[in-house]
Amino acid sequence: MDRRANYFDELRLLAAWLVLFSHCYPLSGSALGDPFARSIGIDTLGGVGVAIFFVLSGYLVTLSWERSSGTIDFFWKRARRIYPALVACVCVCVCVIGLWLSSLDPAAFFQHPQTREYFKTATAWSIKFVLPGAFPHNPLPGTVNGSLWSLPYELRCYLCLALLGLLPIALRWKVAATTTLLVLYLLSRPQMPVFDRYLGIDYYHAKLGLFFAIGATYASWRKHIRPMWWLGLAGTVAACTMADSSTRTIIWVVSFSTFALGVALVPWHLPKLPERMGDWSYGLYLYGFPTQQVVAHFDVAKSLSLPGYVVVCTFASLTLAALSWFVVERPALAFERKGGRQS
């Protein structure tokens, strides 16, 4: 896919920033809540950012599956995209941020069980959020990188796509059937806490899985259907005006997915990020939350107010995202497995 003919990079960077902006409210100690959740109630702006990530990922990762030479090649591409930057971020969080700002002395910090446990975060499968003694006086003490909660869901989407791809019958029919099943699941799920399991999975497996599946559906059916952004926008606005219900959730997910993909694929002839800049979205996602905690540690929000806190956190996080891209991510993506093909 020609990156110059679409807006995937721009939308993913926006999605990562929406996550950062949404977290600015609780992490700065603001008495106000997320503005989108406060006014609309269907999700937070951070949730909107995660939704964009999942639907765009569903589309692009499905294309990657189709273009891979085999299952090993597919997972090699995914591993290169996810793990080098994640491992680097975990090491920075432990060996720089944690060690620097923990209330414990270095020996006690590294000997603490929570420090050893935190390294499991590098698997992207078992996310640990707390480092001992970190940010003891912050509005959200202890938590180092709360943004990473969605990574295990992303990995499970990759696994499910690969399993579907290995089964007989054309991928587009299997993806469409999976999308339908997830819709039926969300419609039938009773009112219960989101992390409680119903029919073996929790609410976020179904909701984020549906965002991913819709992206995969549009990718696998791209020769037959295209997402119409104006239709998605109309459905999104309609969902925002409805009372809370499972039907509203379905309309929101389907419509917003269509809107986001439509915006990404239409040649708007709008200014684009320089191609040489690369893709900073993953780095912004990885480093946004730790950066916000560090900035909060030094009481920037109190001296500059919430807008100042947002600006400082944005520029500091973008700096780290740029370093992550040029120092870690781009070299990792350039490293090809022998016999593999570029995704």
Side-chain angles (χ1 to χ4, degrees):
M1 178 180 291
D2 185 358
R3 291 172 58 183
R4 293 168 295 180
N6 62 65
Y7 288 85
F8 280 90
D9 287 350
E10 289 77 8
L11 272 183
R12 286 187 295 196
L13 190 63
L14 172 63
W17 183 80
L18 287 175
V19 173
L20 182 150
F21 179 74
S22 181
H23 287 155
C24 281
Y25 286 85
L27 296 183
S28 68
S30 172
L32 298 173
D34 178 281
F36 191 68
R38 200 167 65 237
S39 58
I40 305 299
I42 200 167
D43 211 333
T44 64
L45 283 173
V48 172
V50 171
I52 294 172
F53 271 128
F54 270 78
V55 66
L56 298 188
S57 179
Y59 190 93
L60 294 172
V61 172
T62 300
L63 296 184
S64 178
W65 170 263
E66 292 179 352
R67 295 166 182 170
S68 296
S69 59
T71 306
I72 294 177
D73 186 40
F74 171 74
F75 281 117
W76 173 244
K77 292 172 183 175
R78 304 280 60 76
R80 281 186 297 144
R81 190 68 190 100
I82 295 292
Y83 286 106
L86 177 62
V87 170
C89 180
V90 169
C91 290
V92 168
C93 286
V94 174
C95 300
V96 179
I97 297 175
L99 184 61
W100 173 33
L101 298 179
S102 174
S103 59
L104 303 180
D105 63 73
F109 175 77
F110 281 113
Q111 292 171 8
H112 200 285
Q114 285 182 328
T115 303
R116 294 192 296 272
E117 281 287 300
Y118 191 83
F119 280 106
K120 292 181 180 179
T121 301
T123 66
W125 195 265
S126 176
I127 304 300
K128 306 300 178 183
F129 299 104
V130 176
L131 280 173
F135 313 118
H137 305 298
N138 281 20
L140 191 62
T143 302
V144 177
N145 203 341
S147 296
L148 300 186
W149 68 271
S150 62
L151 266 182
Y153 294 97
E154 179 87 5
L155 291 189
R156 292 180 182 108
C157 287
Y158 297 165
L159 288 173
C160 288
L161 178 64
L163 289 173
L164 288 176
L166 293 172
L167 295 174
I169 306 175
L171 179 63
R172 64 180 184 272
W173 294 109
K174 293 176 288 189
V175 169
T178 302
T179 302
T180 303
L181 289 174
L182 288 170
V183 167
L184 293 175
Y185 173 91
L186 286 170
L187 287 173
S188 65
R189 193 176 193 273
Q191 291 292 328
M192 56 196 301
V194 293
F195 293 111
D196 284 1
R197 291 178 177 267
Y198 171 66
L199 300 180
I201 61 174
D202 66 30
Y203 174 77
Y204 283 111
H205 276 100
K207 183 181 178 182
L208 298 181
L210 182 56
F211 277 115
F212 187 94
I214 292 170
T217 298
Y218 276 118
S220 56
W221 286 87
R222 64 191 179 277
K223 293 180 181 179
H224 307 276
I225 56 173
R226 287 183 63 86
M228 294 179 284
W229 69 267
W230 54 268
L231 186 59
L233 178 59
T236 298
V237 172
C240 290
T241 63
M242 296 172 63
D244 189 31
S245 67
S246 56
T247 301
R248 182 197 196 195
T249 299
I250 297 302
I251 294 174
W252 161 257
V253 174
V254 174
S255 298
F256 186 73
S257 297
T258 300
F259 173 63
L261 267 176
V263 169
L265 290 167
V266 170
W268 296 97
H269 304 295
L270 296 173
K272 290 179 60 63
L273 296 172
E275 190 171 5
R276 63 181 179 274
M277 175 179 166
D279 181 8
W280 296 6
S281 59
Y282 187 42
L284 185 57
Y285 164 77
L286 289 176
Y287 287 99
F289 198 105
T291 301
Q292 289 171 285
Q293 285 286 59
V294 171
V295 174
H297 176 84
F298 292 104
D299 290 331
V300 170
K302 292 181 181 178
S303 57
L304 296 180
S305 75
L306 180 62
Y309 178 75
V310 172
V311 170
V312 170
C313 290
T314 296
F315 280 99
S317 299
L318 283 172
T319 301
L320 292 173
L323 287 171
S324 177
W325 171 255
F326 289 111
V327 176
V328 180
E329 296 169 61
R330 188 173 69 172
L333 291 172
F335 183 78
E336 279 293 303
R337 184 179 66 87
K338 187 177 180 180
R341 294 184 297 182
Q342 189 72 29
S343 57

